[in-house]
């Protein structure tokens, strides 16, 4: 499968995700036929078979998704979605903040800013089920927590406060920032899961 990875580029950690996916593709030995590019409108999205929803400010990203007429197209998008931090908030079915228009693609409840304010940001080495190579050094910045999951959503990492990584078919959502720090194992794992589902 040639990867055509779009990074939603309305607000937030866009260039960091582009760099992390390029590095992940290189480490996976993908040829130059795979590409990573910014997505700002439905025509860009139509070019992708994978989409990253970056961290940033989820209220702002949610508003801009609506404004750019991307809400329906992302909901109907047939490819994989890799959602981090603010992106995880947007993937949920249940967010207790009326400013968020959640995509509802993963059956879960998410608590925004569950750890408090910016000063309560932290880093931790966390265990992720099935991830080779040991603990993942995770950066949590005003991070969300998953407080409940539906039957198709698998919690793959928990810390004492709650669930911080979930997978469901072609979707991955992480409360932290895997695009920071140069460890691309989670980007690679997402792409490998996609290849298994879309071998062509
Ligand atoms: N707290 C932010 C929000 O919900 C997310 C923070 C982040 O993406 N780093 O918008």
């Amino acid at each position: 499968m040639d990867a055509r990875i779009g990074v939603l580029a309305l607000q937030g950690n866009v260039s960091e995700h582009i760099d992390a996916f390029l590095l992940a593709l290189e480490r996976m030995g993908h040829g130059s036929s795979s590409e990573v590019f910014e997505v700002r409108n439905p025509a860009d999205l139509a070019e992708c078979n994978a989409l990253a929803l970056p961290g940033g400010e989820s209220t702002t990203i949610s508003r801009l998704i609506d404004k750019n007429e991307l809400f329906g197209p992302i909901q109907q998008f047939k490819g994989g979605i890799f959602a981090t931090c603010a992106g995880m908030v947007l993937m949920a079915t249940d967010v207790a903040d009326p400013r968020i228009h959640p995509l509802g693609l993963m059956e879960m409840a998410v608590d925004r800013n569950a750890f408090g304010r910016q000063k309560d940001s932290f880093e931790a080495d966390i265990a992720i089920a099935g991830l080779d190579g040991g603990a993942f050094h995770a950066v949590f910045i005003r991070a969300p927590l998953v407080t409940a999951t539906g039957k198709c959503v698998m919690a793959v990492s928990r810390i004492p406060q709650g669930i911080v990584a979930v997978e469901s078919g072609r979707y991955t959502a992480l409360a932290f920032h895997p695009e920071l720090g140069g460890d691309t194992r989670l980007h690679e794992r997402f792409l490998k899961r996609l290849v298994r589902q879309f071998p062509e």
Side-chain angles (χ1 to χ4, degrees), residues 42 55 86 89 95-96 147 157 172 179 200:
V89 175
V95 183
T147 53
S157 183
T172 296
E179 75 282 11
E200 291 311 305

Side-chain angles (χ1 to χ4, degrees), residues 129-140:
L131 187 69
D132 293 333
F136 192 90
H137 187 74
V139 180
F140 293 83

Side-chain angles (χ1 to χ4, degrees), residues 44-104:
D44 297 336
L45 183 64
E47 300 297 316
C48 309
N49 52 19
L51 176 69
L53 301 181
E57 182 55 46
S58 55
T59 51
T60 304
I61 298 175
S62 185
R63 185 170 47 77
L64 293 174
I65 285 174
D66 285 342
K67 183 167 174 237
N68 288 267
E69 296 178 350
L70 276 162
F71 188 85
I74 295 175
Q75 270 193 328
Q76 283 142 34
F77 181 60
K78 296 278 183 291
I81 300 185
F82 187 75
T84 65
C85 203
M88 174 187 248
V89 175
L90 298 172
M91 289 298 278
T93 40
D94 187 358
V95 183
D97 185 326
R99 294 169 298 170
I100 306 284
H101 184 193
L103 292 159

Side-chain angles (χ1 to χ4, degrees), residues 95-171:
V95 183
D97 185 326
R99 294 169 298 170
I100 306 284
H101 184 193
L103 292 159
L105 292 171
M106 296 179 90
E107 194 183 341
M108 61 184 177
V110 171
D111 191 9
R112 286 188 67 218
N113 300 335
F115 299 90
R117 305 176 67 87
Q118 190 77 25
K119 68 173 173 41
D120 302 309
S121 297
F122 63 100
E123 301 186 14
D125 290 327
I126 63 171
I128 297 181
L131 187 69
D132 293 333
F136 192 90
H137 187 74
V139 180
F140 293 83
I141 304 171
R142 289 188 304 122
L145 266 181
V146 176
T147 53
T149 53
K151 55 185 179 311
C152 296
V153 175
M154 209 165 72
V156 293
S157 183
R158 289 170 198 268
I159 61 174
Q161 295 90 331
I163 299 168
V164 292
V166 286
E167 290 174 340
S168 173
R170 61 189 201 274
Y171 301 143

